Amino acid sequence: MCIRDRYMGQRMRAREDSKEASPRVLHERRRSIQTSWDQLEAEPGEWRQLACSGRTIPTRGFHALWILGNRVYVHGGHDFQVGILSDFYWLDLSASIPIWHLIQDTEDPARPGPRCRHAAVTISATEVLLIGGQSQAIDNTAKMHIWNSEQAHWKYLGNFHPVDSHTAHLLPGDTPKVVVFGGFTNAYYTNKLY
């Protein structure tokens, strides 16, 4: 059951009970119905859908998603009707009712541009590294970019090697390292580890 279904169930029960409840009880019930999504408890092992307010972002797959602080970021991806996407959004998880916000970074010369099947690795409390991906219909890209959430801008870091559909992870330690494995490059799948 997703949060929306649970919320609607609460509203229906509140309506049914409202005919015989006092105004004070009704007020308390309305307040409890408006509880933010993060206060609703899910059963162990239960997945729940986050209910967001306002306009939602366009549908997509093969996008990059990461969390920095209380914000979820979504970059790029692919839509069958539009193609490879370059849009960039954030969502505040600490808000009582989260709302998606478009980041207007089109004037930033270091922004990644259209990208799908790329990997995102959180490398610090304020930075994420985007690696590779697909930038055109059949081309992989080797480009790496860093998003800095404090400065709200991109930095072009250099090239890796052309790959998409790969995985990446941060190996913590005194000198943290990014580990990249597999993916699709030059029309072949690879099992290389970097």
Side-chain angles (χ1 to χ4, degrees), residues 40 48 64 108 134 176:
L40 292 174
R48 59 185 176 151
D108 188 344
Q134 187 177 351

Side-chain angles (χ1 to χ4, degrees), residues 8-185:
M8 293 306 290
Q10 288 176 344
R11 282 188 65 190
M12 295 304 292
R13 282 190 295 282
R15 279 188 190 156
E16 291 169 10
D17 295 342
S18 67
K19 296 173 187 163
E20 52 201 9
S22 71
R24 182 180 177 97
V25 170
L26 286 176
H27 175 72
E28 290 303 315
R29 284 185 187 155
R30 284 190 194 110
R31 272 187 47 194
S32 71
I33 289 170
Q34 295 171 354
T35 302
S36 66
W37 66 271
D38 58 343
Q39 295 172 350
L40 292 174
E41 293 295 323
E43 298 297 320
E46 175 187 5
W47 286 88
R48 59 185 176 151
Q49 182 178 350
L50 175 62
C52 298
S53 180
R55 198 169 146 203
T56 187
I57 67 175
T59 59
R60 68 196 58 229
F62 308 113
H63 52 279
L65 177 139
W66 63 90
I67 297 175
L68 291 175
N70 289 326
R71 289 185 176 182
V72 171
Y73 292 86
V74 173
H75 177 267
H78 185 270
D79 177 89
F80 285 112
Q81 293 183 3
V82 178
I84 299 174
L85 304 169
S86 63
D87 52 359
F88 186 31
Y89 292 88
W90 67 271
L91 179 79
D92 186 354
L93 293 176
S94 64
S96 59
I97 300 175
I99 299 172
W100 285 106
H101 300 272
L102 176 64
I103 298 174
Q104 301 285 354
D105 65 343
T106 54
E107 301 301 318
D108 188 344
R111 72 186 181 97
R115 188 79 52 92
C116 68
R117 298 181 167 127
H118 46 320
V121 180
T122 302
I123 56 174
S124 76
T126 59
E127 293 181 321
V128 70
L129 172 66
L130 285 187
I131 304 171
Q134 187 177 351
S135 59
Q136 296 179 10
I138 57 171
D139 292 334
N140 329 66
T141 183
K143 294 180 178 180
M144 296 184 297
H145 294 81
I146 291 179
W147 168 254
N148 184 304
S149 63
E150 282 184 337
Q151 298 172 2
H153 85 90
W154 291 100
K155 176 183 174 186
Y156 174 67
L157 191 61
N159 289 336
F160 176 57
H161 76 152
V163 65
D164 69 57
S165 305
H166 52 292
T167 55
H169 191 73
L170 183 69
L171 182 64
D174 293 335
T175 54
K177 295 174 177 48
V178 174
V179 178
V180 179
F181 177 75
F184 191 77
T185 184

